[in-house]
Amino acid sequence: MANDVTLTCRPNKAHLPVMDTQQLVYVLIEARPGERMAQVQMPLNLSLVLDKSGSMQGKKIQSLRAAAKLVVDRLGEGDTISIVAFSDRKYLIAESQPVTDKEDLRKRIDHIRDGGGTAISGGMGQGLTELNKALDPDRISRMLLLTDGQTFGDEKACKKLGRKAGDQGIVVNALGLGDDWNEELLDDIAEASGGVADFIDSPDKIVAFFEQAVQSMQDTVVQNAQMILRLVSGVTPRQVWQVLPMISNLGYRPLSDRDVQVTLGELEKGQPRSLLVELLVGPRPEGRYRIAQAEVSYDVPSLKLVGEKVKADILLDFTADAAQSKQYDAEVMNIVEKVTAFKLQTRALEEAKMGNVAGASQALRAAATRLLEMGEEDLAQSAMDEADNLDKSGQMSSYGTKKLRYETRKLTQRLSP
């Protein structure tokens, strides 16, 4: 039905001045599950893959057990769960099963003890094996991976398993605890499967992160969403950014000289999937024009909907009225500012990785200025601290790198209701 997903397009300014050159336009595109989706909930096929190495001792392992038991409590009898622990070996705590005997699952979780080294691929491999036992197009299949350490010698195997999960329709969400883990590896694992990685800076927050992760899984209602952007002559795409649920550079795939495709993946009820599209628009005479049309196709397995489509036009007025052409959409420009801050910290991390200390420090200070202007004082201070670290020692701290990398992705969440 047409109302199952709504699609809206808002340019950063509705009126462009009549000029002889190209102009940059930002368009906020939002795909949001409709009201009927509020009643939809697909069963889950979930595997918890949990680090139990020696570094997880104390508060970490205690919070991990509490978080795993919370997940069990949140699932229903129509869901399936498996629990895998790993150190330098893998341990099958609970094989794939319906969530019927919660007391037994809690007891099994209580038997998880810290000890040993860290080899993530063993846990991931066992998790995939268990997920495959209940793999079904009518289920949301997820792996929730948590680690606090560096995996040694099996990074390639981990990445391969991430790609394998994605090929099977299994999304891996990866959580790094503390500051002694490889953020690039967890990002690669997650992104290869269509998932996300995140940073937990304290054991006290593990339960909250697990709770949020399960809620996100249970809210997933739309799958296989794709957007095709059909551009008119004289309009060129520059970049496509996801801005909700978090900031990332989506990129696009050209389908023809005027059509590009963007993968959206899954949509959650009550949460828009929002994109910021950068378009270069060629000169036009005064008047109103459709410069592009967005079309989103999607599936809703629980409602037996496949290949449904919704469309929306992107319209602009070209005007000779100077006052009109200076009017901006404040909300869209706010998002542009947040994406700009994210770009700056991303550039800083890339420059630091390549050994360009001066360039990285400069980008961090520019990011700090932007963050301070938007009221993000804590992140701004972190950016300044890391710029100072670069100037003094030539490198950033592990904690600061992770904080900036993951927290700037969430800047737009402050705007989400």
Side-chain angles (χ1 to χ4, degrees), residues 230-274:
R230 307 187 192 284
L231 307 168
V232 304
S233 178
V235 178
T236 306
R238 199 168 75 161
Q239 284 185 308
V240 179
W241 295 89
Q242 176 181 278
V243 293
L244 277 177
M246 63 178 59
I247 303 173
S248 65
N249 190 346
L250 287 184
Y252 59 84
R253 183 169 69 91
L255 299 179
S256 70
D257 58 344
R258 292 188 187 175
D259 296 344
V260 297
Q261 184 179 55
V262 180
T263 298
L264 303 182
E266 299 175 336
L267 277 64
E268 299 175 21
K269 53 189 174 185
Q271 171 80 277
R273 176 62 58 91
S274 302

Side-chain angles (χ1 to χ4, degrees), residues 14 49 52 178 244 280 295 354 384 388:
V49 178
K52 64 168 290 295
L244 277 177
L280 292 172
E295 176 186 282
M354 292 186 295
M384 288 299 296
D388 290 342

Side-chain angles (χ1 to χ4, degrees), residues 305-323:
L305 299 178
V306 178
E308 294 291 301
K309 291 182 172 63
V310 59
K311 301 178 182 180
D313 291 334
I314 301 173
L315 303 171
L316 287 177
D317 288 323
F318 282 75
T319 180
D321 186 330

